[in-house]
Amino acid sequence: MKTTFTLFRRPLVAGLGLLLLVGNVPEAHAQQRTPPAQPPAGSMQAPTPSGPWTLQAAVDYALANNLNVRQSRLSAQLADVTLLQSRAALWPTANLNGSQTWNYGTSINPLTNDFQSQTTRSNNFSANTQVTLFSGFQLRNTVKRNVLDYEAALGDIEKARNDLSLNVASAFLQTLLAQELVRTNQTRVNSTQQQVERTQVLLKAGSVAESNLIDSRAQLATDQLNVITAQNQETLARLQLAQFMNLNEAATQALEITTPPLPDPDELSLADVNPSTTYQTAQAIQPEIKAADLRVQSALRNVEVARGAYYPRLFFGAGIFTGYSSARNLTVIGDDSTARRTTFYVENPNGGGITPLSVTTYQRDVSTLPQRYWDQLDNNLGRSLQFSLQVPILNGLQARTNVQRSKIAVSQAELRAEQERLLLRQNIEQAYADALAAQRQYIASKEQVESLTLAYRNAEIRFNNGLLNGTEFNIAKNNLTAAESSMIQAKYSFIFRRKVLDFYQGKSIEL
């Protein structure tokens, strides 16, 4: 006989539906278990508390050390950085540029635009800034979209924490169930061992046939096998709990959990639960619903970003430039001068020949010197202001197709939000149906156990008196064993599903 915690229909929940094997059924076998998508135990170095674990302590430790939760936090940090960058895009840009160049052979002087054939060294320095005055409100809409994406990423963190909490609670309850099955099966072994000893005494006294002793020993071997099977299931349950918590190998080996008092389900255990009311409450508080709605709003904002490409773009820029060239010289006129006497011959207008005329001129000394570095930087300083306008006319229908893509993305986001709500409603309905079925099964199994207990005691008396053979006695005992196991499983199945319903109502997961 097998039972499962199969509540959800998504991957998260498939992990919650851990197979609970009943260790007291003779044909029971250890089941293959799909390990959860968790990092290997021991990858974290966080200290582990000593002593038995409570459910709350296990959940808190898992939330602090689970890699999936940490990955969700990193994704939110990435969304935060993207938001910061989009806000910074509203600010002006400013850049400084500098270069040093050596020119060999014929080249154009970058400062004089003259051809020159010599080796020169030049420096160019510039600073420029630009600000977007209008871009179809794309920058502002991008900021608003990224704000929504960041808030959705925060919702993903809460969803990852909730999923992990449910997984830990499921593994914790599975471990408790496995421990109770071990204790129950061990009690049965002790009872069967006593029965074997009584049968041996009765056989020596000639009160029973030898076949009764053989049947009792066979039942003892079966009960011992069931104990081993239940112990194996307990080991697997503790291992899965340790993997969800990301414990190292030493902590996994020493893992012990407390056994809190768990009330038995009764007919009033679900009196305060209504699936429709629970769904309305969960829809308002569950982070996956909030994240889905935020992504719908983000997709709508992205449509506005795409439509901004239809509008003109207006930019304003300013710059400053200066430079130095080793080929640039400065002509210097000195204070000293050189006298030069020049004789002109002037024809006499009244006749009489040519009259010599002497003129003395003075020429200052002229020299060419390299212009100093800082003087060049000061003299070559230039400034600029610029307005730039871009009017989109035809760009391969890029703006149009981007708008169409963004509209399709809105429809996809709305569909995902609707799917999240549908899945939430189905999960709540399934949890309620499973809890109700487990409640009914427990009540029926409890009555069955009471009846079969009386039948077993009667069969034991008849067996000890030689009025019942071993096969019939073992049948009575196995019927009681199956009923007890069914009752135990129904109890834990109900507890888990009831905790899931409490979770959807916004209550903490506590035992």
Side-chain angles (χ1 to χ4, degrees):
M1 183 181 300
K2 304 173 184 178
T3 183
T4 59
F5 286 167
T6 54
L7 171 62
F8 303 95
R9 298 181 182 175
R10 53 185 173 185
L12 149 71
V13 190
L16 297 178
L18 304 172
L19 296 177
L20 302 177
L21 182 61
V22 181
N24 60 330
V25 181
E27 63 271 16
H29 298 282
Q31 293 182 331
Q32 293 182 350
R33 180 179 59 85
T34 302
Q38 297 291 328
S43 61
M44 304 296 297
Q45 300 298 327
T48 58
S50 58
W53 292 81
T54 63
L55 175 58
Q56 187 61 51
V59 169
D60 292 341
Y61 186 87
L63 292 176
N65 295 273
N66 184 267
L67 296 187
N68 287 344
V69 175
R70 296 178 65 186
Q71 183 65 40
S72 299
R73 293 194 186 102
L74 292 177
S75 298
Q77 292 178 12
L78 181 61
D80 188 25
V81 172
T82 302
L83 173 60
L84 176 62
Q85 190 277 328
S86 62
R87 284 173 171 166
L90 297 170
W91 305 340
T93 60
N95 297 283
L96 293 175
N97 301 292
S99 66
Q100 178 163 294
T101 307
W102 285 269
N103 293 320
Y104 303 91
T106 302
S107 62
I108 297 178
N109 192 305
L111 299 178
T112 63
N113 290 325
D114 295 332
F115 281 96
Q116 60 188 23
S117 181
Q118 65 183 63
T119 300
T120 60
R121 179 180 69 87
S122 61
N123 294 105
N124 293 311
F125 302 101
S126 64
N128 56 76
T129 182
Q130 179 174 289
V131 60
T132 302
L133 300 179
F134 182 76
S135 62
F137 304 105
Q138 284 185 315
L139 297 180
R140 294 188 179 276
N141 285 324
T142 299
V143 172
K144 295 178 181 179
R145 181 197 64 192
N146 291 341
V147 168
L148 296 171
D149 290 340
Y150 174 64
E151 293 176 354
L154 294 180
D156 291 340
I157 296 178
E158 292 304 314
K159 181 180 182 300
R161 290 170 59 88
N162 291 342
D163 292 350
L164 180 61
S165 298
L166 287 176
N167 285 332
V168 172
S170 176
F172 194 92
L173 285 172
Q174 183 192 5
T175 305
L176 289 178
L177 172 58
Q179 290 178 349
E180 186 163 347
L181 290 176
V182 170
R183 290 192 295 268
T184 302
N185 283 304
Q186 187 62 54
T187 301
R188 291 167 189 158
V189 168
N190 296 335
S191 176
T192 305
Q193 180 64 45
Q194 294 175 2
Q195 185 64 46
V196 170
E197 294 173 356
R198 286 195 301 268
T199 305
Q200 288 175 340
V201 173
L202 293 175
L203 178 62
K204 291 181 180 180
S207 301
V208 297
E210 185 178 1
S211 60
N212 287 358
L213 178 60
I214 295 175
D215 291 338
S216 296
R217 287 176 175 173
Q219 183 64 40
L220 177 61
T222 299
D223 292 342
Q224 290 173 341
L225 175 61
N226 290 337
V227 170
I228 295 175
T229 303
Q231 290 173 343
N232 291 338
Q233 291 302 307
E234 180 189 3
T235 301
L236 293 177
R238 286 194 297 107
L239 176 61
Q240 186 159 41
L241 177 60
Q243 288 176 339
F244 282 127
M245 296 169 61
N246 202 12
L247 295 176
N248 56 37
E249 182 177 358
T252 301
Q253 295 296 329
L255 177 62
E256 296 181 3
I257 62 175
T258 60
T259 304
L262 300 175
D264 297 333
D266 54 34
E267 295 181 356
L268 300 178
S269 298
L270 290 176
D272 61 333
V273 178
N274 181 276
S276 178
T277 305
T278 302
Y279 171 68
Q280 295 300 327
T281 302
Q283 187 177 213
I285 63 176
Q286 288 303 307
E288 60 266 30
I289 303 300
K290 293 181 179 180
D293 291 340
L294 287 170
R295 288 189 167 95
V296 172
Q297 298 178 34
S298 174
L300 290 171
R301 188 62 62 179
N302 198 49
V303 174
E304 300 301 321
V305 174
R307 285 175 175 167
Y310 289 136
Y311 296 90
R313 295 170 175 266
L314 179 62
F315 305 92
F316 171 74
I320 186 172
F321 168 84
T322 188
Y324 165 81
S325 175
S326 62
R328 185 162 186 172
N329 297 321
L330 179 65
T331 301
V332 179
I333 300 176
D335 295 334
D336 297 335
S337 60
T338 302
R340 174 180 295 180
R341 186 177 182 82
T342 304
T343 302
F344 297 92
Y345 294 91
V346 181
E347 183 177 359
N348 192 343
N350 298 323
I354 298 174
T355 303
L357 179 63
S358 295
V359 178
T360 301
T361 61
Y362 297 89
Q363 184 176 3
R364 293 182 179 274
D365 294 335
V366 178
S367 61
T368 302
L369 300 176
Q371 190 173 15
R372 290 183 298 181
Y373 185 85
W374 295 108
D375 291 340
Q376 281 200 45
L377 295 183
D378 185 49
N379 295 334
N380 295 330
L381 188 63
R383 301 173 181 84
S384 66
L385 298 176
Q386 180 184 24
F387 285 93
S388 176
L389 179 65
Q390 298 178 1
V391 181
I393 298 177
L394 181 62
N395 293 297
L397 300 181
Q398 291 184 2
R400 179 184 178 87
T401 54
N402 287 338
V403 171
Q404 292 176 343
R405 289 192 188 99
S406 60
K407 288 181 177 180
I408 294 174
V410 170
S411 300
Q412 291 176 331
E414 291 174 343
L415 181 59
R416 284 191 292 268
E418 185 178 352
Q419 288 175 334
E420 287 290 345
R421 284 181 167 80
L422 176 62
L423 186 59
L424 177 62
R425 180 173 60 82
Q426 291 175 343
N427 288 340
I428 292 174
E429 293 174 347
Q430 187 67 45
Y432 181 80
D434 291 341
L436 185 61
Q439 179 190 41
R440 293 171 177 172
Q441 181 181 356
Y442 176 83
I443 295 174
S445 297
K446 184 178 180 180
E447 295 177 354
Q448 184 184 28
V449 167
E450 293 174 354
S451 300
L452 291 177
T453 299
L454 294 176
Y456 170 73
R457 291 175 181 174
N458 182 51
E460 185 178 23
I461 294 174
R462 297 175 61 194
F463 177 76
N464 292 334
N465 293 327
L467 301 177
L468 191 68
N469 60 43
T471 301
E472 294 175 340
F473 174 72
N474 289 338
I475 291 175
K477 182 176 183 179
N478 288 335
N479 288 338
L480 176 59
T481 296
E484 290 175 344
S485 298
S486 177
M487 182 180 67
I488 294 173
Q489 293 179 50
K491 173 182 177 180
Y492 279 89
S493 179
F494 173 82
I495 291 174
F496 173 69
R497 285 163 175 81
R498 175 60 209 233
K499 293 304 176 184
V500 171
L501 291 172
D502 289 343
F503 164 77
Y504 283 127
Q505 291 176 335
K507 302 177 183 179
S508 59
I509 302 178
E510 297 177 353
L511 294 180

